[in-house]
Amino acid sequence: MQEGFFCNYSEKDCQELIHCLLEGEYQIPRFQRDFVWKKDQVAKFIDSLVRSYPTGSFVVWRTKERLQANKEIGQVFLKEPKAGEIYYVLDGQQRITALFMIYQGLRVQRSPRVADDYQDIMLRLESDEERDFCFVRDPKAETNKVAVSVYDLISQSILEIQEKYNLSLQEAKRFEKFKQKIEKYRFPVIEITNASLDKIVEVFARINTGGTKLTPFEVMCAKFYIPPTTDSTQTIITHPGFDLEAKFRALRAELDELDYAFDHPMVVLQLISYWLRSNIQENLTKKIAIATILRLEPEKVQQTWDFIAPCFIHAAHLLKHDLKIPSFDFLPSVGSLMLMAYFYALSEHKSPNAKQIANLRCLLFRSMFFSNNITGDTLLKQLGLVEQIHKEKPVDFKKELPRTTTKEFLMEEKINTRNGFHRGILCVLATLEPCDFDNNSKVLLDNLFVSDTTKSKKRNLHHFYPKNHLKHLNPDFNPDVIANITFLSAKLNQEIKDSPPKIYIEKYRQSNPHLNQTLQAHLIDPSNPKVLEDYQAFLHMRAQKILEKIKELT
């Protein structure tokens, strides 16, 4: 191979491969997918061994690098690797796991009701119509064919097999030949040496028969894994180790309680990398690049994770309770959460004062609506502004993050909840904590961005001028523009249906004595009666009110 790779070729039989797994010499890295072969696929594989058919080579990476690896196969625990070099299985995981299942005679619980018993993989003396000697036994079906469990065949002597299955001498001899074919089968092993982890990731992606590309986080989980250590008796854990995947799951679970769970684990590592390299003069792209993160020391990542991860919890509290943004899904991007988390890193988890909260609010909403024509490294600039806010230095937001939102945009642009800019506007509306028109109860916004809504759980979005009403009024009117969207409970939305605002608003005045204040919280001015009768007049009024609120927040 090129680029400094070295490949050695060798061969191993079944017993040698199983021994390598049991002793921890061969490791299956966690970025490998789970064992997915079905029992009939395992039977086909064993049948190929019996026939001496080629089954493909194993590709392993010999290295001193310590990656996160599977610790058990089918509830059989594998030994920790010894000091020195390890072999990571890059290609052949399904085959080597299938061998392990057979040789150990495992019974694996797939689900509460389904279990795979690998002792049901059988060999018969006569092939079937597909010319297969190996098959999966159906415990409920009876068969007159002479057949032996592959597990029994390889784990017992031929005399024991003859007695257990009541075989004739001729039959026992034929099964002994099958046994020898399996035991003597030689698997080609390609051993890669002198290769870095990033190159190995590329190799894995190319040879992975499933064609599934590794995510950067899967690579990081393998790279930064630190196994737990024990004392000499191996009964007392002296160091818990570091499992990045488990750490992120725990962080996500805590954020989920605040409705701020997110599926972007790399952003935590990016902030860690930025934090560790804050004193190095280089652009942001390089500071948080995958190649840069991969060069970090696992121990440094572990220490910094325990400091940075709580910053995201504090940031979620700030956004939800102080800035009145109901959930993570309202944010235009995970970068918004990262900015707030960075403040808590700078403050060493201390809460901001009133002035800092005001500036963080301004930064947050400015970052949602700044000009698309801005040049330079925008996120780096915003991180720099967080540093100024932390130091309580004056910030010229108009200069640093100019806005370009216009009244025309709000009146003409069709709402799209997947658009980050549009989510920013929904954030603005959410900060007002809008209430229902009929009883002034707060609108719940927890399921606003649920994509698979049902009749029992509709999204709490409402067209102030209903679609069908506008369709009859003027087919050229666009009901989906941003200025026509309000938050309203799904139940009330269904009740309103196609009624025009003039009718349903007057109706709810009877039940809600505070309706004027309710409408104002939706940025609707009830003092002008034309807004309830004239769609264009309403859009002009509402767009202006939204624009004024954006200016107030920024």
Side-chain angles (χ1 to χ4, degrees):
M1 293 181 70
Q2 297 178 354
E3 303 184 31
F5 285 24
F6 293 103
C7 286
N8 298 320
Y9 178 90
S10 63
E11 291 183 349
K12 280 183 166 53
D13 62 29
C14 296
Q15 285 283 12
E16 289 173 319
L17 289 172
I18 301 302
H19 177 79
C20 287
L21 274 178
L22 283 170
E23 295 300 314
E25 184 180 347
Y26 274 19
Q27 298 272 300
I28 299 175
R30 284 287 292 274
F31 56 67
Q32 286 270 25
R33 302 302 183 258
D34 291 336
F35 181 64
V36 296
W37 273 13
K38 296 179 179 177
K39 285 201 293 183
D40 57 350
Q41 290 175 286
V42 176
K44 283 280 187 185
F45 172 59
I46 299 299
D47 193 80
S48 295
L49 305 189
V50 170
R51 294 174 175 276
S52 300
Y53 286 176
T55 57
S57 58
F58 289 97
V59 180
V60 297
W61 174 39
R62 191 178 78 185
T63 179
K64 291 182 178 179
E65 188 102 45
R66 287 297 189 266
L67 303 182
Q68 186 182 31
N70 294 332
K71 298 301 176 189
E72 62 175 287
I73 298 177
Q75 298 182 328
V76 174
F77 288 91
L78 311 176
K79 289 185 180 179
E80 287 291 331
K82 297 176 182 177
E85 292 184 317
I86 300 175
Y87 297 81
Y88 290 103
V89 179
L90 301 181
D91 191 33
Q93 180 234 355
Q94 299 295 317
R95 284 169 284 145
I96 200 170
T97 305
L99 278 178
F100 191 87
M101 298 287 195
I102 290 288
Y103 264 73
Q104 298 293 315
L106 298 181
R107 188 175 189 274
V108 180
Q109 202 73 35
R110 296 285 188 180
S111 69
R113 294 185 178 182
V114 178
D116 283 344
D117 188 346
Y118 287 90
Q119 294 189 33
D120 287 338
I121 308 292
M122 309 291 289
L123 267 172
R124 55 193 158 207
L125 292 177
E126 305 300 332
S127 61
D128 63 3
E129 60 274 8
E130 295 182 4
R131 300 185 63 199
D132 287 339
F133 290 101
C134 204
F135 68 101
V136 179
R137 176 181 60 190
D138 183 354
K140 297 179 181 179
E142 291 187 8
T143 177
N144 295 323
K145 293 182 180 179
V146 179
V148 170
S149 165
V150 176
Y151 169 71
D152 286 341
L153 186 63
I154 58 181
S155 62
Q156 299 178 26
S157 72
I158 202 64
L159 290 176
E160 290 172 320
I161 293 294
Q162 185 179 3
E163 182 179 347
K164 181 175 181 177
Y165 289 90
N166 195 25
L167 303 176
S168 68
L169 180 60
Q170 191 65 29
E171 289 169 338
K173 287 182 177 180
R174 290 184 64 187
F175 276 116
E176 186 172 24
K177 288 182 179 179
F178 281 153
K179 180 176 183 175
Q180 290 173 353
K181 288 227 175 184
I182 295 172
E183 291 179 340
K184 292 181 178 180
Y185 190 95
R186 306 291 290 178
F187 293 93
V189 179
I190 299 172
E191 179 187 300
I192 300 175
T193 60
N194 195 38
S196 61
L197 178 59
D198 56 336
K199 293 299 180 185
I200 286 300
V201 168
E202 183 181 347
V203 170
F204 176 81
R206 294 191 181 205
I207 64 178
N208 182 13
T209 54
T212 306
K213 188 176 181 181
L214 284 175
T215 66
F217 186 64
E218 287 173 315
V219 179
M220 302 301 171
C221 286
K223 163 68 179 178
F224 297 125
Y225 177 72
I226 301 175
T229 55
T230 60
D231 63 0
S232 57
T233 65
Q234 294 190 339
T235 56
I236 299 175
I237 296 176
T238 56
H239 188 281
F242 183 66
D243 186 333
L244 182 58
E245 186 179 5
K247 286 284 187 180
F248 181 71
R249 280 200 308 270
L251 172 62
R252 194 184 186 285
E254 198 167 347
L255 286 168
D256 194 35
E257 295 180 4
L258 295 165
D259 298 316
Y260 266 79
F262 62 90
D263 295 314
H264 309 279
M266 281 302 296
V267 76
V268 186
L269 289 173
Q270 287 171 334
L271 186 54
I272 287 172
S273 182
Y274 182 79
W275 181 258
L276 291 173
R277 300 178 69 83
S278 57
N279 295 326
I280 300 174
Q281 294 298 318
E282 59 186 357
N283 63 45
L284 178 68
T285 303
K286 189 171 182 180
K287 282 187 178 184
I288 64 175
I290 292 173
T292 302
I293 298 173
L294 277 173
R295 288 196 295 271
L296 298 175
E297 292 294 326
E299 290 77 12
K300 280 284 186 183
V301 172
Q302 177 188 14
Q303 294 166 10
T304 314
W305 179 279
D306 293 338
F307 172 71
I308 291 293
C311 296
F312 283 85
I313 304 295
H314 293 305
H317 278 285
L318 175 75
L319 290 163
K320 190 177 185 75
H321 302 302
D322 294 296
L323 305 188
K324 305 300 181 185
I325 298 175
S327 69
F328 172 80
D329 290 327
F330 275 85
L331 300 178
S333 74
V334 70
S336 301
L337 183 60
M338 181 183 182
L339 290 174
M340 301 300 111
Y342 183 48
F343 176 87
Y344 282 98
L346 292 169
S347 70
E348 297 181 333
H349 302 170
K350 294 177 182 176
S351 299
N353 59 36
K355 181 181 177 182
Q356 288 170 325
I357 289 175
N359 279 330
L360 287 170
R361 178 186 289 109
C362 191
L363 169 63
L364 178 71
F365 285 99
R366 278 273 173 176
S367 68
M368 295 178 186
F369 301 116
F370 70 84
S371 168
N372 290 328
N373 297 322
I374 196 167
T375 57
D377 196 330
T378 305
L379 182 56
L380 181 60
K381 175 181 283 190
Q382 292 171 7
L383 289 167
L385 294 178
V386 173
E387 292 171 10
Q388 288 182 244
I389 292 171
H390 172 252
K391 295 175 182 177
E392 299 193 61
K393 291 184 177 180
V395 180
D396 186 348
F397 286 108
K398 290 183 180 179
K399 177 184 175 182
E400 299 292 349
L401 296 172
R403 280 185 286 100
T404 58
T405 318
T406 65
K407 185 177 177 180
E408 291 72 26
F409 174 83
L410 297 171
M411 292 176 62
E412 297 170 4
E413 185 79 2
K414 184 178 179 180
I415 188 72
N416 178 4
T417 57
R418 294 184 179 182
N419 182 292
F421 198 89
H422 294 196
R423 288 192 182 209
I425 295 167
L426 293 177
C427 269
V428 171
L429 300 179
T431 62
L432 295 161
E433 298 182 294
C435 297
D436 276 334
F437 300 148
D438 60 341
N439 58 13
N440 211 34
S441 60
K442 190 179 291 186
V443 179
L444 297 178
L445 302 174
D446 59 335
N447 67 333
L448 182 65
F449 297 97
V450 175
S451 57
D452 185 20
T453 53
T454 64
K455 289 184 179 179
S456 63
K457 193 173 183 181
K458 292 287 186 181
R459 293 192 297 180
N460 295 339
L461 281 179
H462 169 66
H463 294 78
F464 190 75
Y465 272 76
K467 282 187 173 186
N468 284 337
H469 169 63
L470 287 178
K471 185 177 180 181
H472 294 302
L473 200 64
N474 187 336
D476 293 331
F477 284 153
N478 184 353
D480 297 319
V481 296
I482 294 171
N484 190 36
I485 301 299
T486 59
F487 294 131
L488 214 61
S489 67
K491 182 179 178 182
L492 187 59
N493 193 14
Q494 289 295 307
E495 184 179 302
I496 291 171
K497 290 187 177 178
D498 304 332
S499 298
K502 184 177 180 181
I503 292 178
Y504 72 75
I505 290 297
E506 289 306 313
K507 172 186 174 182
Y508 294 132
R509 283 193 187 280
Q510 309 303 316
S511 59
N512 182 6
H514 307 290
L515 185 58
N516 282 353
Q517 294 96 308
T518 305
L519 290 169
Q520 287 169 2
H522 286 271
L523 299 179
I524 297 171
D525 183 3
S527 64
N528 183 357
K530 284 190 69 177
V531 302
L532 300 181
E533 302 174 3
D534 186 327
Y535 184 52
Q536 290 301 320
F538 168 77
L539 291 182
H540 276 278
M541 176 278 302
R542 186 96 190 296
Q544 183 61 39
K545 288 286 185 182
I546 293 174
L547 200 58
E548 289 171 2
K549 188 62 183 178
I550 291 174
K551 289 179 180 178
E552 177 189 325
L553 291 170
T554 60

